Amino acid sequence: MSSPAERYAAARQAAGHPATVAFAAGQRFELDPFQVEGCHALEDGQSVLVAAPTGAGKTIVGEFAIHLAMQTPQDKAFYTTPMKALSNQKFRELVDVYGPDDVGLLTGDTNINGNARIVVMTTEVLRNMIYADSAALRDLRYVVMDEVHYLADRFRGAVWEEVIIHLPQHVRLVSLSATVSNAEEFGDWLDTVRGDTEVIVSEIRPVPLEQHVLVRDDLLPLFDDRAGIATAQVNQELMRIRSFTGSHYDNNRSAQEYRSNRHAGRQAQRPPRGGRRPVRSANVRRIERMDRPDVVRLLEQANLLPAIFFIFSRVGCDAAVQQVRRSGVRLTSSEERAEIRAIVEDRTRSLQDEDLGVLGYWEWLENLERGVAAHHAGLLPAFKEVVEDLFKRKLVKVVFATETLALGINMPARTVVLEKMEKFNGEARVAITSGEYTQLTGRAGRRGIDVEGHAVVQWTEGMDPQAVAALASRRTYPLNSSFRPTYNMAVNLIDLFGKQRAREVLESSFAQFQADRAVVGLARQVREAEESLEGYKAAMVCDHGDFLEYASIRRELSDLEKKNRQDSHAPRASRDKRMKQIQSVRTRMQRHGCHRCPDREAHARWAERYWKLKRQTDRIRRQIETRTGTVARVFDRVVEVLETLDYLHRDEQDETTLTEAGRTMRRIYGERDLLVAESLRQGLWNNLDAPSLAAMACCLVYEPRRDEANAGERDLPRGAFRAAYDKTTTLWAELDDLEKDHHLPGSEPLSAGLAGAMHSWARGGMLDRVLVDADMAAGDFVRWAKQTIDLLDQLSIVAEDGALARTARVALDGVRRGIVAYSSM
């Protein structure tokens, strides 16, 4: 209960923020203090950074910015997200509030009411609008950047920084982030580049999270309740299970202890079952894991559904659904099954029957009617959206998902289950990070429905409860910039600001801000080290001579003797030469005055410390030299490449301007901007028909898995495509050499692994045949097809050859059909 003074202060605050009061009155929940603080900052005219856990409700602050925009006759608000699925979801939510006339959607392949006062879009769309100086930016008052921590993404993160740096200064920015450990640092940078920015950090989950470990069929608490939350002491029962030798782990005793230690009033998690036998813990590997259907039944009986099982493999997700299906598990009533069928049939009505058969529709529908589904990138986007909708309606009770589900989709559950604490990162199996653990378990606990959420980690061979507890306790991770200048960025900035001003703009990036801050810390280390070095010098002062000089001779002798031992098999002449060197240095050492000092070895110990610290200090100095101005140096190299290729021209007054080719480059976005621009300029694709151009565009965007890097090149489309592909590959190699000559990282080779399938699809091929040729799931094919469409769309606009632009438009229509064209919008 708050004191009278606190209530009076809150009343005074509210009186000064009438818009916040009116907005809060229309919400289903009473706003939390951090939400109120964010709304107050916006109402006061500030930008705001809100860092809060998943499910805490930080998007409320973004929605308040939209509310403020709509209080005026003309102000506009943009809401950006990192993914099209998130944009689609937010679009639907805002249409429900403001109606279809005032809300638009722009995601590259979808354009709905783009001139509306509220527009939801992917971050790349806004970046492109800024560079094109789009008329849609007029009257823009607020930009909400949801999931702004994506700027750490090494592939797409630079886009977030570009938007933040280049947005007009009068636009107020609402940055919404997961809980990161350096939110204040990020806020300081925002304040530097955007002006007055309030940083609001909340680590409080609105729904508390209970952490469990599932050991066979017992749900044991990860932390000892009796120790108190502040100590976060690991449950000693789990430590005993890990360490016992020659003893038994007794399920019945553990269950009783668990029930007695639970907080009062909570439901016991253990379902009544019979026929248990003790499990030996002398060897942890012998503790049997429950089958997935049994885990589902346990959670159902303990009233812990709906649940999301995170399995770090698409194949594993699909196999889990089949496992549950074969076991006969059914989690829905007849009324729920009828409702599921009606919703699914309505949402998939526009898909053709023959395509539904190829997509495994009937089996998928039967699984949904059981209340079970998979969710991963291989699923058709339309199917994923249906799963999300049914889960939110509490009709689907169990979803087996990859970690992509944790990235912002509004799909909370009562329980999250982690089957393993490691995943394959493309090269090796690695432990999940604390940030990933927080993101995954953040789905547990539905506000307004659950008193608490539950995170369940299934016991695996060799599990260390202390390590799991460390992940669960460390609820933040650092946000590090992945910003790097690109060719498209360079020509756009030079066109807007000129080269020198563009260079200065890039130096205001978060990447340089972090590097400069790191330099400050490194410089402090150098200063401290220099003080220590002076102290070491004082400690080895010798009245027989310069001991530092003597120590240097000793080190030289030691290095030569070490080399001599290592080169014992070197030619005799080399060894003889080195022995003469050793003898010469030894003579110099023996003739030095300090060699006769009685305290020589005591001084030598200080000298060793001196040289060791000096080596470390020199290394730090080199780090400082490489970090200062890093972003601007990369920009200079990018500019040099563009000048070499005549995209930029430098005149006698040292002014840099865009050439005709540079103006084309301004409108080419993506990882291969330079290769696309050069291919267009050299006319490499002018003789391609529409299906072949679609296949070529696919080669430029497609990124194969590591195990299929060279797959598919034997099945290239026939005719003009092969010659164009060979020329484009040769051009790529030439550009790659040029980039490396300028100390730039270069790029990956083209991959034709999907070219044949995309060519067939653009020619009107049947879905079943195309998916066999592609050797991939429908959802993956749709994803690459949409990226192909994005590039074809750019070609249709920028191609100087009118025939090629027309071919690109025909190719675009050929790819954008059937399941690729389907949208639930």
Side-chain angles (χ1 to χ4, degrees):
M1 192 75 178
S2 57
S3 68
E6 289 170 332
R7 289 198 297 274
Y8 176 71
R12 281 180 61 90
Q13 271 277 81
H17 297 91
T20 302
V21 172
F23 176 74
Q27 302 304 308
R28 291 183 300 131
F29 307 109
E30 182 179 348
L31 296 191
D32 291 332
F34 85 90
Q35 294 169 325
V36 172
E37 191 180 349
C39 293
H40 284 176
L42 284 173
E43 194 170 354
D44 290 340
Q46 297 175 281
S47 291
V48 65
L49 165 65
V50 180
T54 301
K58 52 185 174 284
T59 55
I60 283 286
V61 182
E63 289 163 9
F64 178 67
I66 294 170
H67 171 81
L68 286 177
M70 297 303 284
Q71 302 311 299
T72 69
Q74 76 286 334
D75 281 352
K76 298 168 76 171
F78 289 171
Y79 195 108
T80 75
T81 77
M83 293 184 294
K84 292 175 183 178
L86 282 176
S87 293
N88 294 342
Q89 188 177 82
K90 201 68 199 176
F91 171 74
R92 287 191 291 265
E93 291 174 4
L94 291 171
V95 166
D96 289 342
V97 176
Y98 295 101
D101 292 342
D102 280 326
V103 185
L105 176 68
L106 298 173
T107 61
D109 60 337
T110 303
N111 185 337
I112 300 173
N113 200 15
N115 293 316
R117 290 181 61 197
I118 305 167
V119 185
V120 184
M121 62 187 69
T122 51
T123 317
E124 281 86 353
V125 170
L126 178 54
R127 185 270 312 272
N128 299 352
M129 290 170 69
I130 291 171
Y131 282 159
D133 194 22
S134 169
L137 296 173
R138 294 191 196 117
D139 298 321
L140 180 62
R141 179 63 179 156
Y142 298 97
V143 167
V144 182
M145 300 194 78
D146 204 354
E147 310 283 342
V148 75
H149 51 272
Y150 253 81
L151 68 76
D153 183 89
R154 68 191 183 98
F155 297 111
R156 300 171 57 210
V159 176
W160 274 256
E161 291 191 48
E162 289 178 78
V163 169
I164 291 168
I165 292 169
H166 300 312
L167 265 179
Q169 282 298 312
H170 69 270
V171 176
R172 297 292 84 190
L173 192 64
V174 183
S175 305
L176 307 178
S177 170
T179 313
V180 293
S181 53
N182 60 335
E184 286 76 12
E185 178 189 42
F186 183 49
D188 286 348
W189 174 69
L190 288 172
D191 197 67
T192 301
V193 296
R194 300 296 315 165
D196 197 4
T197 301
E198 181 78 10
V199 179
I200 298 163
V201 179
S202 173
E203 296 188 25
I204 300 171
R205 281 178 50 97
V207 181
L209 183 65
E210 290 288 309
Q211 310 270 356
H212 314 274
V213 178
L214 178 59
V215 185
R216 196 168 180 263
D217 58 356
D218 272 337
L219 273 172
L220 302 179
L222 175 59
F223 296 107
D224 189 342
D225 291 345
R226 293 166 297 185
I229 294 172
T231 60
Q233 182 179 331
V234 178
N235 183 354
Q236 292 306 297
E237 180 67 20
L238 293 172
M239 299 305 295
R240 284 196 294 273
I241 293 169
R242 184 171 191 262
S243 62
F244 275 174
T245 56
S247 300
H248 289 78
Y249 164 53
D250 187 332
N251 284 342
N252 291 308
R253 180 176 61 79
S254 298
Q256 290 163 4
E257 285 184 8
Y258 179 46
R259 283 195 290 269
S260 66
N261 291 338
R262 298 281 291 164
H263 292 303
R266 291 186 189 160
Q267 179 174 355
Q269 306 300 308
R270 180 188 174 83
R273 292 183 57 163
R276 297 193 196 90
R277 63 183 186 280
V279 180
R280 291 184 59 82
S281 59
N283 184 344
V284 171
R285 288 173 292 183
R286 295 188 183 178
I287 293 181
E288 299 173 16
R289 285 166 59 90
M290 289 185 80
D291 289 337
R292 286 169 181 142
D294 291 332
V295 177
V296 170
R297 291 189 185 98
L298 183 151
L299 296 178
E300 181 188 24
Q301 293 170 20
N303 196 27
L304 291 180
L305 297 181
I308 299 172
F309 286 66
F310 281 111
I311 301 173
F312 303 116
S313 148
R314 300 178 188 184
V315 173
C317 292
D318 292 333
V321 172
Q322 295 306 319
Q323 242 184 312
V324 173
R325 180 186 180 190
R326 285 196 301 269
S327 73
V329 167
R330 191 180 293 279
L331 305 171
T332 54
S333 65
S334 58
E335 292 81 8
E336 288 173 325
R337 289 194 287 278
E339 189 176 353
I340 289 169
R341 180 175 286 271
I343 291 170
V344 172
E345 289 178 349
D346 178 62
R347 295 285 290 275
T348 58
R349 184 172 288 118
S350 62
L351 292 172
Q352 298 177 3
D353 287 347
E354 58 267 30
D355 288 350
L356 291 176
V358 173
L359 297 168
Y361 170 82
W362 304 108
E363 186 177 309
W364 173 69
L365 175 58
E366 184 184 338
N367 292 330
L368 291 176
E369 289 179 347
R370 288 178 177 272
V372 181
H375 189 289
H376 54 70
L379 277 180
L380 189 69
F383 284 17
K384 280 197 293 186
E385 289 173 14
V386 169
V387 171
E388 292 160 13
D389 187 29
L390 294 177
F391 193 80
K392 282 187 281 190
R393 294 175 187 240
K394 306 179 203 172
L395 294 171
V396 165
K397 322 287 184 177
V398 172
V399 169
F400 296 97
T402 54
E403 69 267 35
T404 53
L405 179 59
L407 300 175
I409 299 283
N410 181 23
M411 198 169 149
R414 177 166 294 174
T415 304
V416 163
V417 180
L418 300 183
E419 293 193 347
K420 293 181 180 177
M421 300 300 287
E422 61 178 22
K423 65 175 186 176
F424 186 69
N425 67 356
E427 296 178 351
R429 298 209 70 82
V430 296
I432 64 173
T433 65
S434 59
E436 288 168 334
Y437 184 91
T438 301
Q439 195 84 344
L440 295 167
T441 58
R443 295 279 141 219
R446 298 163 301 174
R447 189 168 187 171
I449 301 173
D450 300 320
V451 177
E452 59 196 11
H454 298 268
V456 176
V457 177
Q458 203 162 0
W459 186 278
T460 55
E461 177 185 339
M463 177 183 282
D464 180 4
Q466 294 278 17
V468 179
L471 288 178
S473 304
R474 199 181 307 122
R475 310 199 65 77
T476 59
Y477 52 100
L479 179 61
N480 294 313
S481 172
S482 61
F483 184 84
R484 61 180 178 81
T486 65
Y487 298 106
N488 169 272
M489 186 192 305
V491 294
N492 272 293
L493 292 182
I494 289 171
D495 194 45
L496 287 170
F497 305 116
K499 182 184 172 186
Q500 187 53 42
R501 172 76 181 117
R503 204 174 187 277
E504 292 167 3
V505 165
L506 291 177
E507 285 181 327
S508 68
S509 66
F510 187 45
Q512 192 58 56
F513 186 82
Q514 287 192 305
D516 290 344
R517 285 212 163 182
V519 165
V520 170
L522 292 171
R524 186 175 64 248
Q525 289 181 45
V526 168
R527 285 197 303 275
E528 292 169 355
E530 285 172 342
E531 291 175 9
S532 298
L533 288 170
E534 289 302 316
Y536 293 163
K537 275 186 184 178
M540 61 174 140
V541 167
C542 178
D543 53 10
H544 288 70
D546 183 347
F547 200 88
L548 201 55
E549 180 184 68
Y550 174 72
S552 178
I553 297 171
R554 278 178 58 142
R555 289 180 63 79
E556 185 182 355
L557 177 62
S558 175
D559 290 344
L560 284 169
E561 289 174 336
K562 183 178 179 182
K563 279 185 182 176
N564 195 49
R565 288 193 298 273
Q566 290 172 341
D567 294 348
S568 58
H569 300 296
R572 183 180 183 84
S574 298
R575 292 203 308 275
D576 288 347
K577 183 179 178 182
R578 183 165 291 133
M579 286 305 298
K580 285 181 181 177
Q581 286 180 294
I582 289 172
Q583 190 55 48
S584 172
V585 174
R586 184 177 285 126
T587 300
R588 268 199 298 139
M589 181 187 74
Q590 290 169 347
R591 289 176 178 172
H592 198 284
C594 293
H595 192 65
R596 295 182 295 277
C597 175
D599 297 323
R600 183 183 69 194
E601 293 310 311
H603 292 161
R605 284 192 290 274
W606 285 109
E608 276 303 308
R609 294 176 189 172
Y610 175 90
W611 287 112
K612 183 178 180 181
L613 182 58
K614 188 174 186 307
R615 277 199 309 273
Q616 293 173 352
T617 308
D618 289 343
R619 189 168 64 247
I620 293 171
R621 283 198 178 97
R622 287 194 296 273
Q623 280 182 270
I624 290 173
E625 288 170 8
T626 58
R627 290 191 178 201
T628 305
T630 48
V631 175
R633 274 205 303 275
V634 173
F635 173 72
D636 290 340
R637 293 168 190 162
V638 166
V639 168
E640 287 169 10
V641 170
L642 290 170
E643 287 176 348
T644 302
L645 294 171
D646 198 34
Y647 286 87
L648 296 173
H649 173 69
R650 193 187 310 184
D651 62 22
E652 294 174 359
Q653 286 75 43
D654 206 32
E655 289 292 320
T656 302
T657 56
L658 273 60
T659 63
E660 190 63 36
R663 282 188 283 278
T664 299
M665 170 74 80
R666 283 193 66 215
R667 295 174 292 170
I668 298 173
Y669 303 97
E671 289 288 310
R672 298 194 185 275
D673 47 7
L674 183 60
L675 179 58
V676 171
E678 273 295 281
S679 297
L680 288 176
R681 186 161 67 163
Q682 296 184 23
L684 301 188
W685 307 333
N686 288 358
N687 295 327
L688 296 178
D689 61 12
S692 296
L693 186 59
M696 182 61 70
C698 181
C699 293
L700 291 162
V701 299
Y702 178 56
E703 297 170 12
R705 298 191 303 269
R706 291 180 180 274
D707 58 352
E708 59 171 26
N710 298 313
E713 301 218 353
R714 62 186 180 280
D715 300 319
L716 294 180
R718 299 181 185 280
F721 175 85
R722 297 196 179 199
Y725 178 75
D726 289 342
K727 290 176 182 176
T728 307
T729 301
T730 301
L731 175 60
W732 166 81
E734 292 168 356
L735 294 177
D736 195 58
D737 289 342
L738 179 63
E739 288 177 311
K740 286 173 180 170
D741 288 344
H742 286 84
H743 307 290
L744 291 168
S747 59
E748 291 295 315
L750 275 70
S751 176
L754 195 53
M758 193 60 67
H759 185 271
S760 176
W761 179 252
R763 283 170 50 215
M766 298 295 290
L767 178 64
D768 55 349
R769 182 62 191 165
V770 168
L771 292 182
V772 169
D773 291 345
D775 189 25
M776 64 175 54
D780 289 322
F781 180 76
V782 169
R783 179 160 52 92
W784 293 120
K786 290 194 172 184
Q787 291 194 36
T788 300
I789 287 170
D790 285 346
L791 180 52
L792 289 171
D793 190 38
Q794 291 181 47
L795 296 180
S796 72
I797 296 169
V798 303
E800 295 176 7
D801 179 275
L804 182 61
R806 287 191 294 275
T807 303
R809 285 191 286 274
V810 174
L812 196 153
D813 291 338
V815 176
R816 190 163 51 199
R817 65 180 182 86
I819 63 169
V820 177
Y822 174 83
S823 172
S824 64
M825 287 295 100

